[in-house]
Amino acid sequence: MTASTVRFTIDGMHCGACTGRVEAALRPITGVKTVSANLMARSAQVDFAPPADTADLTQALEQAGYPASTATLHLEIDAMTCASCAGRIERALYAHPAVIRASVNFATSGADVTYAQGAISPTELIGLVKAAGYSATATTTQEAPATLSHKQQAEAHNLKRDMWIAAALTVPVFVLAMGAHMIPALHRLIATTIGMSASWWIQMVLSAIVLAVPGRVFFRLGLPALFRGQPEMNSLVALGALASFGYSAIVTIVPDLVPASARGVYFEAAAMIVTLILLGRWLEARAKGRAGEAISRLVGLRPDTARVERGDSVIDLPVADLATGDIVQLPPGGRVAVDGIVTDGHGWIDESMLSGEPAPVEKTDGSPITGGTVNGQSPLTYRVTATGGDTVLSRIITMVEQAQGSKLPVQAMVDRVTRVFVPVVIALSVLTFGIWMLADAGLTAALVAAISVMIIACPCAMGLATPVSILVGTGRAAQAGLLFRRGDALQRLAESKTVAFDKTGTLTQGHPDLTDLLEAGGPISAEEALRLAAGAEGRSEHPLATAIIRGAQARGLAPAQAKRVKTQTGLGLTAQADGHAIVIGNLRAMTQAGIATAAMEPAARALAEDGKTPVWIAVDGQLAALAAVSDPVKPEARPAIAALQDRGIKVVLISGDTEATAQAVGKQLGISHVIAGVMPDGKVRAIEDLKAQGTLAFVGDGINDAPALAAADVGLAIGTGTDVAIEAADVVLMQGDPQGVARAITLSRKVMRNIHENLFWAFAYNAALIPVAMGVLVPFGGPGLSPLLAAAAMAFSSTFVVSNALRLRRVKL
């Protein structure tokens, strides 16, 4: 049996309990092997084999109340000659696991395809038809389905709007209710002006609007889940709000049904529940809405068209139409369309998006080039060797998608607890009502006790415990130049045992510089030799030329006037500068020119061992200077590594550079564990190996780091790096200072401690006061708990949680 994998987009998941129920709905289907629901990505990945199919999976999700997002595409198909053609096309479409239904009509030459949104694109569906031997075009007038990123952005926008509406309506309710309780003068003012009855009616109307408009989401999602026997966080919010509002409405409309001693309204509790939970949801959605932007930026690296040779002419073709074997012309400064091999030309290509290394790579006939990289100043021609999903860039995109869509190792603590807490609270409320009725206490007393249980157990403090700490903590982080793009990164970063660093641009400056200039003892001084060399290098495309020129400028040396500059591939260059014959290059260039180098070779070996590139400069047939070029270590890197090691964190260096260079940098920084010579997929494998030893954080800055940033338990991007790396990361160090890693870990640990304190007190209030609300102390002469006191206790617990979280503003970083 052929195994298949499909990823569904499920917009209805809102908490940790939802992910568990999605997985529970899919696992029992015969043929399903593994299921992984991801709350952050609002997705579920399913590995399955026959007899299970996509239609079975979508039906199971529909029945569980978590329907998968689907889209329908209409295709016009040419070249169908008989009914069997329609069957062949249907089979080709159904062969892809993301296709749910496919109906091909031979008479109308059309096809309607329903597919799992986000698992396949319309272009890929057309490609399936073409692979079966038929041409197809999409003729639907419907708008393309919104991407996950767009959906999450829209959700954050709607939650923000609803939160502000709820807050605007809740403020007067809170002032009328709590202000009257806390400020006697305000109570007298209300009583002598509009009267308490009118005050209650105003509160009821405003609270009803809060529940019916911005708060409708809790009832729309929570009540159906309750009726299915699978209550979740929305259910408890809905029940808590309804309980406090319903009781208050009865007191307001028909007060005679309630004993005089228990007549109190709690409209502010219902309104505050909705407002505060919406605030938390908005904070979460705002972070989630950026999750897919890294992929969009990676896709943006692909050019739209390419110049393709067709016989004696050159035409512009869409990149999607390129085929293996096509000959493509690459202009100076152009971006490579797809992977290929150079067939004509000589130049340099910036491959930093892949290797992370700053120096462009020399390309001649037969050299491989990669889609998305940028050409230098020389035109090149190349033959296409890979297109579509086979290109290196496409594979990087796939790695980012898979890493971001994989299930997080730690789910939100509140969501895990509510799987048990919600049904327990509901059961206790019902039990309380039953016990009081059996005790012949009367319907009113039983209702008051049951509602008190529901109000005291209302998840206001629990709902605030995590988001308010995240809000204050991330605000404090922003002041210190640390941007947490996702709140859950705080938890994972606090648990990190190992921090892995990319080298180039993260711990080093990211560009080659002249680091050493040694005298060779000839008649020409080293600085004069450097001035002459800078003049010659001004006519060169070699990437080290910039370092030589910058080094001369830093020393106040004006480059000489050079002529007859001649590049020697693989060696260096020769030139005439201010009447002197200049030879610049490697040791082999000196040997071929007959330049004596023996006296300086030990120094050159020492420089190479330090990860530097020796550059020999000869003037008029004699060695004049030995220079060295390297990517210098950032001055902040050493203290950054030391700070992490002082906290007991293991530090690892991962680099695409050579073993010698990476080891040299590791030695400078005191890093003993160095992994060198790895490309993007190799970095991901290294990350996976390190994750087996404990929670891992990865720090990088380049496009090539995006898959590793997403694959790590938590990714930290240097803010001066590429946009793609920043979007793929969970945390961005805005100042580009690697010392921010230690500060981020310190903050995350303090925030998590704060969250644990909040959750403890939120649950402690419930654990202590739910039995009191149930009336367990009443038989012993102790007090019960009226809805008024329950609401006050709930408000106090929320105030305590907020006050505790505000302490994070004073954290020293």
Side-chain angles (χ1 to χ4, degrees):
M1 294 187 296
T2 303
S4 301
T5 300
V6 65
R7 179 176 294 157
F8 295 106
T9 299
I10 304 174
D11 293 325
M13 292 196 298
H14 292 88
C15 66
C18 298
T19 61
R21 293 191 178 100
V22 165
E23 292 175 354
L26 294 171
R27 282 200 186 99
I29 299 175
T30 304
V32 170
K33 297 180 178 180
T34 61
V35 182
S36 177
N38 185 325
L39 181 61
M40 175 66 75
R42 297 281 174 87
S43 67
Q45 182 167 303
V46 189
D47 297 321
F48 65 98
D53 59 27
T54 313
D56 294 334
L57 302 177
T58 53
Q59 184 178 5
L61 290 170
E62 183 79 31
Q63 292 174 348
Y66 298 96
S69 296
T70 62
T72 300
L73 182 71
H74 180 74
L75 299 174
E76 289 291 342
I77 302 174
D78 296 331
M80 284 197 296
T81 59
C82 62
S84 63
C85 294
R88 189 175 298 112
I89 294 171
E90 282 189 2
R91 288 191 295 274
L93 290 168
Y94 273 120
H96 196 287
V99 174
I100 300 169
R101 284 180 296 277
S103 176
V104 181
N105 190 317
F106 169 62
T108 62
S109 297
D112 290 305
V113 187
T114 301
Y115 59 97
Q117 185 182 335
I120 190 173
S121 69
T123 302
E124 290 173 297
L125 289 170
I126 293 173
L128 294 176
V129 177
K130 289 182 177 179
Y134 304 88
S135 61
T137 55
T139 60
T140 179
T141 57
Q142 297 178 350
E143 293 184 3
T147 63
L148 175 61
S149 177
H150 290 156
K151 284 186 175 182
Q152 289 173 329
Q153 291 173 8
E155 179 190 17
H157 173 76
N158 293 336
L159 283 169
K160 180 181 179 180
R161 178 200 61 206
D162 290 344
M163 185 271 294
W164 282 114
I165 292 174
L169 294 169
T170 299
V171 167
V173 176
F174 187 83
V175 170
L176 288 172
M178 300 307 295
H181 287 302
M182 299 169 62
I183 305 173
L186 180 59
H187 178 81
R188 289 193 297 272
L189 178 63
I190 294 173
T192 56
T193 53
I194 61 174
M196 295 308 299
S197 178
S199 173
W200 289 1
W201 277 95
I202 292 171
Q203 293 176 48
M204 184 177 71
V205 171
L206 293 176
S207 299
I209 298 173
V210 170
L211 269 58
V213 182
R216 67 190 180 282
V217 62
F218 301 113
F219 305 103
R220 179 172 56 83
L221 300 173
L223 295 181
L226 181 64
F227 298 148
R228 289 194 302 268
Q230 298 177 332
E232 34 102 316
M233 193 71 165
N234 289 308
S235 304
L236 196 53
V237 174
L239 286 174
L242 283 176
S244 55
F245 180 85
Y247 179 84
S248 303
I250 291 172
V251 171
T252 301
I253 300 171
V254 282
D256 292 340
L257 294 180
V258 181
S261 60
R263 290 175 189 168
V265 297
Y266 319 105
F267 294 116
E268 82 287 348
M272 285 294 292
I273 290 168
V274 169
T275 302
L276 294 173
I277 300 300
L278 283 173
L279 172 62
R281 293 275 175 90
W282 170 53
L283 295 175
E284 295 170 6
R286 187 175 61 171
K288 292 177 184 176
R290 302 189 184 102
E293 291 182 12
I295 295 173
S296 300
R297 292 182 182 272
L298 284 171
V299 172
L301 293 176
R302 297 166 169 163
D304 296 326
T305 61
R307 296 184 63 79
V308 182
E309 294 183 0
R310 286 287 186 264
D312 295 331
S313 61
V314 178
I315 62 173
D316 287 335
L317 277 183
V319 170
D321 292 342
L322 291 178
T324 302
D326 280 342
I327 302 299
V328 180
Q329 293 185 357
L330 179 63
R335 193 176 289 277
V336 180
V338 291
D339 297 355
I341 293 177
V342 175
T343 59
D344 185 38
H346 171 262
W348 304 84
I349 287 185
D350 180 0
E351 293 187 343
S352 58
M353 61 156 282
L354 290 176
S355 66
E357 301 311 310
V361 179
E362 185 178 13
K363 300 295 179 181
T364 58
D365 290 0
S367 299
I369 58 176
T370 305
T373 56
V374 180
N375 189 22
Q377 300 304 310
S378 301
L380 299 174
T381 301
Y382 66 93
R383 175 172 52 84
V384 175
T385 59
T387 61
D390 296 328
T391 64
V392 172
L393 181 59
S394 293
R395 292 200 297 272
I396 291 177
I397 292 171
T398 299
M399 282 189 285
V400 175
E401 287 177 329
Q402 290 175 344
Q404 288 192 337
S406 60
K407 190 172 184 178
L408 295 175
V410 179
Q411 299 293 344
M413 289 175 287
V414 174
D415 289 338
R416 290 203 304 269
V417 173
T418 52
R419 298 184 192 184
V420 177
F421 182 77
V422 175
V424 166
V425 167
I426 295 171
L428 289 175
S429 182
V430 174
L431 178 63
T432 300
F433 180 81
I435 291 175
W436 280 85
M437 289 298 292
L438 290 174
D440 200 25
L443 176 62
T444 300
L447 281 171
V448 168
I451 293 173
S452 296
V453 171
M454 191 63 66
I455 292 177
I456 195 62
C458 187
C460 216
M462 285 185 286
L464 276 175
T466 299
V468 74
S469 294
I470 291 174
L471 177 65
V472 179
T474 52
R476 176 66 186 93
Q479 293 175 344
L482 309 172
L483 176 61
F484 282 83
R485 296 186 62 251
R486 300 180 187 120
D488 61 293
L490 285 162
Q491 179 172 340
R492 289 178 284 135
L493 188 58
E495 298 168 352
S496 296
K497 306 296 183 185
T498 304
V499 175
F501 283 89
D502 169 58
K503 179 181 73 69
T504 305
T506 303
L507 295 176
T508 65
Q509 297 289 3
H511 55 78
D513 275 341
L514 182 67
T515 57
D516 298 85
L517 183 64
L518 306 180
E519 296 278 356
I524 301 294
S525 69
E527 287 206 347
E528 176 63 13
L530 178 62
R531 186 185 73 83
L532 297 173
E537 294 287 12
R539 305 281 296 275
S540 171
E541 285 189 6
H542 196 284
L544 298 183
T546 303
I548 297 293
I549 296 169
R550 235 185 352 248
Q553 291 173 342
R555 290 166 171 80
L557 304 174
Q561 295 294 320
K563 59 184 178 179
R564 292 200 288 275
V565 177
K566 183 179 179 181
T567 300
Q568 297 175 303
T569 304
L571 297 173
L573 59 79
T574 61
Q576 291 287 325
D578 286 356
H580 296 282
I582 309 297
V583 180
I584 310 168
N586 54 26
L587 182 60
R588 195 152 55 93
M590 299 296 112
T591 302
Q592 287 191 10
I595 309 296
T597 59
M600 298 297 293
E601 287 182 15
R605 284 193 294 271
L607 291 171
E609 288 173 0
D610 284 340
K612 301 175 182 178
T613 301
V615 178
W616 303 79
I617 306 173
V619 181
D620 296 331
Q622 287 187 315
L623 185 65
L626 175 62
V629 174
S630 74
D631 184 9
V633 170
K634 290 181 178 179
E636 308 91 355
R638 185 68 181 101
I641 301 303
L644 291 171
Q645 292 170 337
D646 290 344
R647 288 167 172 78
I649 295 173
K650 179 181 178 181
V651 180
V652 178
L653 178 64
I654 302 178
S655 175
D657 213 335
T658 62
E659 182 76 23
T661 301
Q663 289 289 353
V665 173
K667 183 178 178 180
Q668 280 183 266
L669 298 175
I671 302 174
S672 58
H673 191 168
V674 177
I675 302 172
V678 291
M679 294 298 278
D681 54 347
K683 284 188 179 182
V684 172
R685 285 194 296 271
I687 291 295
E688 295 297 339
D689 292 341
L690 291 170
K691 283 170 66 176
Q693 304 172 20
T695 305
L696 174 79
F698 176 77
V699 190
D701 78 313
I703 291 172
N704 63 300
D705 297 324
L709 286 166
D713 292 313
V714 56
L716 299 94
I718 297 294
T720 52
T722 65
D723 289 343
V724 173
I726 291 172
E727 295 297 344
D730 302 298
V731 185
V732 180
L733 311 180
M734 299 300 291
Q735 298 173 347
D737 181 356
Q739 294 182 94
V741 178
R743 292 197 293 269
I745 291 177
T746 297
L747 178 70
S748 65
R749 289 177 174 176
K750 290 183 179 295
V751 170
M752 285 312 301
R753 187 182 303 119
N754 189 270
I755 289 174
H756 284 121
E757 293 167 354
N758 286 347
L759 289 173
F760 170 79
W761 286 109
F763 287 114
Y765 281 118
N766 282 316
L769 295 180
I770 284 178
V772 177
M774 294 177 67
V776 296
L777 299 180
V778 172
F780 305 100
L785 192 63
S786 71
L788 175 62
L789 293 176
M794 183 199 71
F796 177 75
S797 66
S798 298
T799 302
F800 179 88
V801 164
V802 173
S803 301
N804 188 50
L806 289 176
R807 293 190 303 113
L808 292 170
R809 293 186 300 178
R810 298 188 295 272
V811 170
K812 292 183 179 181
L813 296 175

